[in-house]
Amino acid sequence: MTEPVRTLPGADRALGDFATEVGPSDPVVVVGGRTQWAVGGDPDASAREVRAPAGVVQHEPAEMIVRVRAGTSVAELDAALAEGGQTIALDPPDAERATVGGVLAVGHSGPRRLGWGPVRDSLLEARYVSAGGQLIRAGGPVVKNVSGFDLCRLLVGSLGTLGLLAEVVLRVRPRPPAAVWLRGAPDDPDRLRRALLRPSSILWDGATTWVLLEGHAADVDAEIKALGREFAPVGAPPPLPNGGRWSVAPSALQEAVMGLEPGSFVAEFGVGIVHASTPALARPAHPATATLHRRIKANFDPSGRLNPGRIVA
Amino acid sequence: MSDRLVTELSAALAPDRVRSRPLELTLYRRDASLLEGQPGVVCFPCTTDEVQAAVTIARRHGRSVVPRGSGTGLAGGAVPVGADGAEPVVVVTTKMDAVLEIDEGARVAWVQPGVLNLDLSRDVAHLGLHFAPDPSSQQSCSVGGNVANNSGGPHCLAYGVTSAHVLAVEVVLPDGTLALLGGLDPEPPGYDLRGAFIGSEGTMGIAVRIAVRLSPDPPAVRTILVDFASIETAAATVTGIIAAGLVPAALEMMDSRITAAVEDYVHAGFPRDAAAVLLVEVDGLPAGVEAAAQVVADVAEANGARGVRVAADEAERALLWKGRKSAFGAIARIAPDYYLHDTVVPRTRLVEVLAQVYEIAERHQLLVVNVFHAGDGNLHPLLLFDRRERGVMDRVLAAGAEMIAACVAVGGVLSGEHGIGLEKREHMGLIFSDADLDAQRRLRLAFDPDQSCNPYKVLPSGSRCGDLQSVPAGAWI
C-alpha cells in the first residue's frame, strides 16, 4: 500500500521549464481551465498567457498526501486518488475542466465544505513561480508543519497575484464508503445541522433542503432514519445559481436571504455561502487590512506583473 | 531601562501591571525552552487599548516588543531578545483571559488570547462542544499561544491543525493599529491574512481577540491501548491503520522507557515491559466507531501486537489519556533536564528514523525517550540529561542537530507544532532555499516593516530582505 500509485518522471524539469517560461519580467496571466475566469475581473489584455504543467506526480495512500502539478484537472486527480481508495476536498462545479491550481488560486470551496472543510486547509506544500521568475517552495509534504510562515494559506485565494502555482502537495482523505443525497422540506433546516453529527452538505433554496450524508453505511442509514420520512434519497443536489456568490456568517444566513424568492438561490447551511442570481455587495476592506493587502502585493510582486487586472476582493 | 518608558507604561496600564525590578524580570527571561534572553520591562495589559498603548509606547522609545502567552513554548519563541541590543518590552497576555461570547448555534466562541486551552473546552462542555486543538500542555497553554505557534496536539490527526479551527483574529499590529484578520463568514475579502498570521510566532503583531470554531462532541468514542514487543511492529501498525482507510481521532506512540516512567507516575495500567505502546482513539457515530475499533485491533494483531485493551468506560479512557499527557512530567523521574525535539517525517519512514534517533543518542552517550503523534509522523525525541554534568550541553545540542538532519533527510520538516522560535531558526536552511526564506521574509515585512515585533525569531540571520545580525550573546542556553 505504500508504493506510489503513479509516478511521472522529470518532475523538476517540468517545473523549471514553467519558471523559465514565466521569466523575470513582463506581465503574465496564468490560465487553468477558465471555469472560474470571471472571479476577480478580467486580466489585462496585454498580459502573456502561461499554463502550469500537468500530471499526478506521486500518490502515497499511507501518507494521506498527493503531489500533483497545478495544471492537472481535478477529475484526473480524483481518478488517480480513487485507485488508492482516497479523494480530495476540492469540489469545483466542472471537475473535468477545472485545474487543481485554478481551484486553489480562486480559493472557493465546493458545496461539501461543511463536511470536508475549506479548500485552504488542503494545501500542505506549494511550489510556485515568483514575480522574479524563481521557483519557490512554501510549506512541506507532511500533514502537520509549522516550519516558518504559512505562505500556503496566503496563496490560496490569491488569484495568482503573489505567485503562480506550479506543483502542490495536498492532504487527501479516505473515500467515504457510503454517500447519499436526500431531499426534503423541513420547517427549520438549521435543526438538521444540529441533529446530524457531520453532514457533508446542507443546501437550502428557501423551500427545499438537500442533505449529503457520507460515512460508514450503517451510520448513514441510521442518520437517514433519524431525518424521518419527509426526506427521500435523490440522485444529485440542485443546480447552483451562478450570478453571485455571497459570503455571510452562518448565523446571519437566513436573514441574508430574507425577501428572496424561494428557488432563486441556494444557501450552504452551516457554511454561509449563498449561490444567488445577483452579485454580492462589495465589501470594502478596513483601512488597516487594506494596507496589509497592498504591502503584501508590493513585497511579492513589486512591478505588478503577475495576473495584472485581477482584484482579490 | 529608561525610567520614562516605565513611567509611560505605568500610566497607560496600571503601576502594578508594569514590572521592571530585576527579580521580576528574571521570571520572564525564558519560556519552557532552554534558551534565555533579557526583558527590559514586562507589562500585563487587560484590554485591547492597553495592548495598543504598550506597543505604541515601546515603539516611541525604539524598543522591540516581545509578545508572550503562558510561556509554555518549547522553541524559545517568547524569549525576549531586542533589536540593536536594547532590552525589549515583553507584553504578557495572561490577564486577558475572558471568554467574550459563545454562539452555540454557530459553534463559534470569541475569546481573549489568555484563555487557557483546556478552560475553553471546559466552558463549552455543557453545550456538547469542545475546542479541537489539544496540545499536551493544554492545562497551562493559552489559546493566543496556540494561535501564535499553530500548536495542536493528538487530535490534529483527524480534525486538523489549529489554523483550521480559527476563523478570525483581531490583532494589534506592530505599528499599534488594530486589524481584523479573517472573519466569521467563510470567504472574507482579500488575502487570507488570518492564515498568514497563525503560526507567525508573535512576529506580526499581538492577537487580542480570537474567534474559534467549536466542534461537536462525537456520540461514540473508543480509546484503545495496544502493546507491542518492538518499535517496528508498532510503527507498522500505524501505517497499516491509515492504509486501511481509517483516520483515527488520535494515534499516539510511546516507547518502552517512557511507558514505564508514565506507569510508575500515573498507574494507568500501561504495560511496563512493552517495547512500545500505541494509544489509538476512534470517534464518530456508533457503527463506524465499532467497525474502526475492530480494524485497529485486526491490524494490530496482524502485526503481532501482544495485547489490545479497549477502555471500558470514560474513567478508564481519561486515565489512559492522563498517562499520555503526563509523559513530560513523568520524565522528572528519570533525569532532571530534558531537551525536546519536534520534527515531522513521512509516516512510512517512522521506523528508520526512530532507529537513527536511538543510534544518535547512544553515540552521544545520552538517554532518549520517544512519545509522539505517530499518526501525523510528528516525532518528539526527548534527550534526558543533568545539566550539572560537565560538557553535557554540547552533546545534547550536537545530538539534537543530528536528529533534525536525519528527519529532514527523509523528507521531513523542522517542526510540527512547537514552532521555530530562536531554537531552530538557523536550521531553516535545511529545508528552505535562500529564495524560499526571502519570500517568507517578504510576508513578515508586510506586517512589520521595522522588524520591531519579536525580532530574531523564525527566520535565520542573513536572509536577503533584512540585515539581522546573529543572536546577541546571552540569548542562548
Side-chain angles (χ1 to χ4, degrees):
Chain A
M1 287 295 273
T2 61
E3 288 300 306
V5 168
R6 195 167 170 186
T7 303
L8 297 179
D12 288 343
R13 200 169 73 190
L15 303 193
D17 290 348
F18 180 50
T20 303
E21 189 192 354
V22 173
S25 60
D26 80 304
V28 289
V29 54
V30 66
V31 180
R34 291 187 198 268
T35 59
Q36 302 185 79
W37 196 244
V39 177
D42 290 330
D44 283 2
S46 62
R48 182 164 54 89
E49 287 191 356
V50 295
R51 286 176 179 275
V56 178
V57 179
Q58 196 173 32
H59 173 216
E60 298 195 31
E63 294 293 350
M64 284 173 63
I65 61 169
V66 65
R67 182 178 291 278
V68 59
R69 293 182 194 148
T72 314
S73 80
V74 173
E76 185 191 339
L77 171 59
D78 200 42
L81 295 177
E83 292 175 30
Q86 295 181 326
T87 187
I88 187 89
L90 305 186
D91 190 19
D94 183 354
E96 296 291 334
R97 288 172 56 222
T99 62
V100 170
V103 172
L104 292 168
V106 171
H108 288 172
S109 304
R112 290 177 176 82
R113 174 172 169 154
L114 183 61
W116 292 18
V119 161
R120 69 181 187 217
D121 290 347
S122 291
L123 182 60
L124 301 175
E125 177 186 310
R127 286 175 195 263
Y128 68 92
V129 180
S130 70
Q134 282 178 300
L135 207 52
I136 308 285
R137 171 186 162 183
V142 290
V143 295
K144 207 172 174 192
N145 181 13
V146 292
S147 311
F149 301 136
D150 197 347
L151 294 181
C152 285
R153 260 13 83 209
L154 192 67
L155 290 167
V156 175
S158 66
L159 292 176
T161 61
L162 304 178
L164 307 183
L165 290 172
E167 182 178 285
V168 295
V169 176
L170 300 171
R171 181 174 189 159
V172 302
R173 43 189 294 134
R175 200 164 274 267
V180 183
W181 276 103
L182 300 128
R183 185 176 63 198
D187 295 337
D188 178 9
D190 201 40
R191 185 182 55 79
L192 295 177
R193 187 179 56 81
R194 298 168 187 235
L196 300 167
L197 178 61
R198 288 170 201 141
S200 292
S201 186
I202 300 177
L203 305 177
W204 180 64
D205 73 353
T208 306
T209 301
W210 289 260
V211 180
L212 175 62
L213 299 177
E214 295 181 303
H216 191 271
D219 288 334
V220 170
D221 285 346
E223 291 210 297
I224 291 173
K225 282 199 183 73
L227 281 177
R229 279 200 208 148
E230 64 178 313
F231 274 87
V234 288
L240 304 175
N242 57 11
R245 185 182 176 93
W246 307 358
S247 173
V248 298
S251 57
L253 194 62
Q254 275 167 308
E255 193 186 333
V257 299
M258 207 176 281
L260 291 185
E261 197 64 29
S264 70
F265 68 93
V266 174
E268 298 180 24
F269 252 84
V271 172
I273 294 292
V274 181
H275 304 269
S277 50
T278 54
L281 296 174
R283 293 180 294 172
H286 185 274
T289 48
T291 301
L292 289 170
H293 289 152
R294 203 168 48 243
R295 283 200 207 131
I296 288 171
K297 173 65 179 174
N299 287 359
F300 278 81
D301 182 17
S303 69
R305 64 177 295 246
L306 300 179
N307 279 10
R310 291 263 196 253
I311 305 294
V312 181
Chain B
M1 179 53 50
S2 102
D3 288 345
R4 272 196 60 194
L5 172 61
V6 175
T7 307
E8 286 179 35
L9 286 168
S10 300
L13 279 68
D16 68 330
R17 289 193 281 109
V18 177
R19 310 284 174 83
S20 59
R21 296 218 305 260
L23 180 62
E24 292 168 318
L25 296 182
T26 301
L27 297 173
Y28 292 88
R29 288 188 62 166
R30 52 179 287 201
D31 52 16
S33 70
L34 297 173
L35 304 162
E36 280 192 354
Q38 180 60 49
V41 55
V42 181
C43 49
F44 300 83
C46 289
T47 65
T48 296
D49 286 347
E50 290 181 352
V51 174
Q52 284 184 283
V55 169
T56 306
I57 292 167
R59 186 182 172 82
R60 200 159 59 225
H61 286 263
R63 297 298 176 123
S64 310
V65 168
V66 174
R68 179 188 171 102
S70 301
T72 58
L74 287 152
V79 168
V81 185
D84 303 325
E87 292 163 353
V89 175
V90 175
V91 177
V92 184
T93 56
T94 50
K95 290 190 186 300
M96 301 176 74
D97 61 353
V99 175
L100 301 168
E101 186 187 329
I102 296 169
D103 184 339
E104 182 194 355
R107 293 176 181 156
V108 172
W110 277 102
V111 302
Q112 288 187 310
V115 171
L116 301 186
N117 176 293
L118 191 59
D119 284 353
L120 173 57
S121 281
R122 283 183 177 143
D123 269 12
V124 297
H126 68 287
L127 303 171
L129 300 170
H130 67 281
F131 181 50
D134 59 340
S136 293
S137 59
Q138 69 182 137
Q139 290 189 44
S140 46
C141 71
S142 66
V143 176
N146 297 162
V147 168
N149 292 307
N150 197 7
S151 44
H155 287 85
C156 288
L157 173 58
Y159 296 113
V161 298
T162 299
S163 179
H165 299 273
V166 175
L167 302 172
V169 193
E170 193 172 46
V171 176
V172 173
L173 296 172
D175 67 1
T177 57
L178 194 63
L180 181 66
L181 315 180
L184 299 187
D185 63 311
E187 289 169 3
Y191 298 126
D192 184 4
L193 303 179
R194 171 212 63 91
F197 181 85
I198 295 169
S200 63
E201 304 192 29
T203 63
M204 298 186 195
I206 304 176
V208 288
R209 221 161 53 95
I210 302 157
V212 298
R213 195 158 65 85
L214 301 171
S215 303
D217 297 341
V221 181
R222 284 279 179 280
T223 304
I224 305 154
L225 186 75
V226 195
D227 169 354
F228 293 93
S230 76
I231 286 267
E232 288 78 10
T233 50
T237 302
V238 171
T239 305
I241 289 170
I242 303 288
L246 289 191
V247 184
L251 185 38
E252 303 283 296
M253 195 192 290
M254 295 162 63
D255 72 7
S256 62
R257 206 174 269 131
I258 193 69
T259 302
V262 161
E263 181 54 22
D264 293 346
Y265 184 53
V266 177
H267 308 295
F270 283 40
R272 281 195 94 267
D273 59 342
V277 298
L278 285 183
L279 189 61
V280 190
E281 187 157 282
V282 290
D283 69 12
L285 293 162
V289 166
E290 286 310 317
Q294 191 58 51
V295 170
V296 170
D298 291 347
V299 171
E301 277 166 23
N303 281 292
R306 297 196 309 181
V308 176
R309 172 180 152 201
V310 182
D313 53 27
E314 184 54 34
E316 189 177 359
R317 176 177 171 260
L319 192 59
L320 292 179
W321 273 114
K322 186 179 175 192
R324 164 61 183 88
K325 294 203 171 184
S326 302
F328 297 158
I331 285 163
R333 305 177 72 90
I334 308 176
D337 298 296
Y338 66 77
Y339 187 33
L340 171 60
H341 274 283
D342 166 45
T343 62
V344 189
V345 298
R347 201 169 4 227
T348 48
R349 312 295 291 271
L350 278 175
V351 171
E352 66 179 279
V353 174
L354 279 171
Q356 288 183 61
V357 163
Y358 290 117
E359 185 276 322
I360 292 165
E362 192 174 347
R363 189 154 36 76
H364 289 277
Q365 298 170 292
L366 292 165
L367 271 183
V368 67
V369 300
N370 285 281
V371 44
F372 60 98
H373 313 305
D376 294 315
N378 188 184
L379 281 173
H380 288 323
L382 288 117
L383 292 163
L384 311 187
F385 59 97
D386 182 342
R387 68 162 79 206
R388 292 167 298 187
E389 188 189 328
R390 212 179 153 84
V392 73
M393 283 315 300
D394 292 340
R395 284 172 16 231
V396 167
L397 291 174
E402 285 182 37
M403 288 176 187
I404 291 172
C407 292
V408 169
V410 299
V413 297
L414 301 178
S415 176
E417 56 188 2
H418 296 173
I420 299 299
L422 272 180
E423 182 202 34
K424 286 183 175 163
R425 60 197 287 265
E426 299 302 337
H427 296 296
M428 286 283 275
L430 288 177
I431 58 171
F432 293 118
S433 70
D434 286 349
D436 301 341
L437 293 170
D438 180 58
Q440 294 189 31
R441 190 175 298 280
R442 286 168 192 270
L443 170 62
R444 191 269 168 93
L445 289 175
F447 279 82
D448 184 16
D450 304 329
Q451 304 188 71
S452 64
C453 210
N454 215 7
Y456 301 106
K457 305 296 164 63
V458 185
L459 296 179
S461 54
S463 299
R464 277 185 297 170
C465 247
D467 59 346
L468 291 179
Q469 304 302 308
S470 58
V471 175
W476 204 239
I477 293 176

